[in-house]
Amino acid sequence: MNTHSRARAFTNRHASIDELDRAIVNLALQKNVIEHDFLVLVRRFDERAGWLQWNFENCAEWLHYRCDISKGAARERVRVAHAMKTLPEISMAFAKGRLSYSKVRALTRVAKPENEDELLTFALKATAAQVEERCRELRCGTGASTDDAARAQARRGLWMRRDEARGMMVITVELPLETGELVDKALDKAMATAAQAGPEFKEESWTAQRADAFVALAKDYLSGEREGASGTPDHYQVMVHVDETALRGNAGGRSGLPIETVRRIACDSDLIV
């Protein structure tokens, strides 16, 4: 469908169902092409550290503020933008509109030069949901993923260093990804609460807001709000669906997370068997 036909379908309230179908599908293809070009520019911008000109800490932070993209989505786009550089076939299919961003996002989590062609062939014939599921299985359903999850859990730690000369405390934390995401959500919630309290909060830099949110979480804990609490608070809910066979270590079992991670989460969560 050419540009004139698309415009006619858009402006004509009496356009046929077939015309509307073709116009929507065509625009979806164009959206894929635009998304590809957008990510290529983001990667080039990040490679040249363009975000420093606006005094941001990283490209995701700049993208969040300059393009009105949520923090999590901004981080994902930067990750995908760089991953595409090592996956030329997937990137080319994306550039032609044959792959959606949802598919490319999933593929870049598991694709490597040696399996790129196979995954691309599957993705071109499958739905976005099927691609997500397949990539999740590849990422989490192997023995290596279990070992990786166990190593990440063992490496967790928190270090504090007092910088007397600057009057600052430097805190470094390393957590497994799923636990780090939990902290990230808590900080986002604390930032949202602070932003509602007064406009002056938004005048601070993003990193300063995060630091204030971290302090707010500590104050809430010390204020006694959690006294008497047991188990996991019901302030958030994470749902994990996993086959019992997977928990028993059978290769055929499925889970959306590495099995080692699921076992650890199940230790202090409410379970529905």
Side-chain angles (χ1 to χ4, degrees):
M1 180 179 288
N2 58 35
T3 303
H4 179 70
S5 298
R6 291 196 304 272
R8 185 173 65 250
F10 184 79
T11 57
N12 183 9
R13 298 182 60 182
H14 303 289
S16 69
I17 294 298
D18 288 338
E19 287 180 314
L20 292 174
D21 170 80
R22 288 193 297 271
I24 292 170
V25 171
N26 192 277
L27 287 173
L29 293 175
Q30 291 184 55
K31 180 182 177 183
N32 294 341
V33 174
I34 292 173
E35 186 72 47
H36 167 271
D37 295 347
F38 175 79
L39 292 180
V40 169
L41 293 178
V42 167
R43 184 180 70 231
R44 293 175 182 171
F45 185 84
D46 192 22
E47 289 173 342
R48 297 172 61 181
W51 35 271
L52 288 174
Q53 184 171 325
W54 280 266
N55 296 319
F56 286 107
E57 296 291 331
N58 53 61
C59 190
E61 181 184 338
W62 171 86
L63 198 59
H64 164 61
Y65 276 93
R66 293 286 288 168
C67 299
D68 200 22
I69 299 175
S70 69
K71 300 180 184 70
R75 286 191 290 270
E76 268 295 274
R77 276 176 166 77
V78 173
R79 180 192 67 78
V80 173
H82 285 284
M84 284 166 45
K85 191 173 184 178
T86 62
L87 301 168
E89 297 301 321
I90 290 175
S91 181
M92 181 63 68
F94 192 18
K96 293 180 179 179
R98 300 176 68 197
L99 290 177
S100 66
Y101 171 72
S102 296
K103 288 184 177 182
V104 174
R105 179 182 59 196
L107 290 170
T108 53
R109 295 190 182 115
V110 296
K112 300 176 181 178
E114 55 266 29
N115 67 358
E116 181 183 8
D117 289 340
E118 178 183 354
L119 285 173
L120 176 58
T121 299
F122 171 77
L124 291 173
K125 299 177 181 179
T127 65
Q130 290 170 335
V131 173
E132 287 273 3
E133 181 180 4
R134 177 59 177 156
C135 292
R136 184 165 55 246
E137 290 173 354
L138 287 174
R139 186 182 181 189
C140 302
T142 64
S145 71
T146 298
D147 294 339
D148 290 343
R151 283 194 294 269
Q153 177 70 2
R155 288 196 299 265
R156 73 191 186 281
L158 185 150
W159 299 267
M160 303 177 70
R161 177 174 60 83
R162 292 172 174 80
D163 189 340
E164 301 288 352
R166 298 171 57 235
M168 301 291 285
M169 172 82 76
V170 179
I171 303 174
T172 304
V173 185
E174 287 193 1
L175 298 170
L177 282 175
E178 72 281 352
T179 310
E181 292 293 344
L182 177 65
V183 175
D184 187 37
K185 289 182 182 295
L187 291 173
D188 285 346
K189 184 176 180 179
M191 288 174 65
T193 300
Q196 294 174 358
E200 63 278 359
F201 179 80
K202 295 182 179 180
E203 297 177 0
E204 300 287 350
S205 68
W206 185 72
T207 52
Q209 292 179 31
R210 299 283 278 183
D212 291 345
F214 181 78
V215 173
L217 293 177
K219 288 181 177 179
D220 285 346
Y221 192 96
L222 293 174
S223 67
E225 291 185 9
R226 288 176 53 103
E227 289 183 3
S230 62
T232 304
D234 292 330
H235 294 307
Y236 60 90
Q237 184 180 61
V238 177
M239 298 181 66
V240 177
H241 298 272
V242 56
D243 288 354
E244 181 184 6
T245 54
L247 288 175
R248 294 182 183 277
N250 294 347
R254 292 184 177 184
S255 170
L257 291 170
I259 297 305
E260 183 66 24
T261 299
V262 175
R263 292 195 183 100
R264 187 168 65 253
I265 292 175
C267 290
D268 59 356
S269 300
D270 293 328
L271 304 181
I272 300 176
V273 181

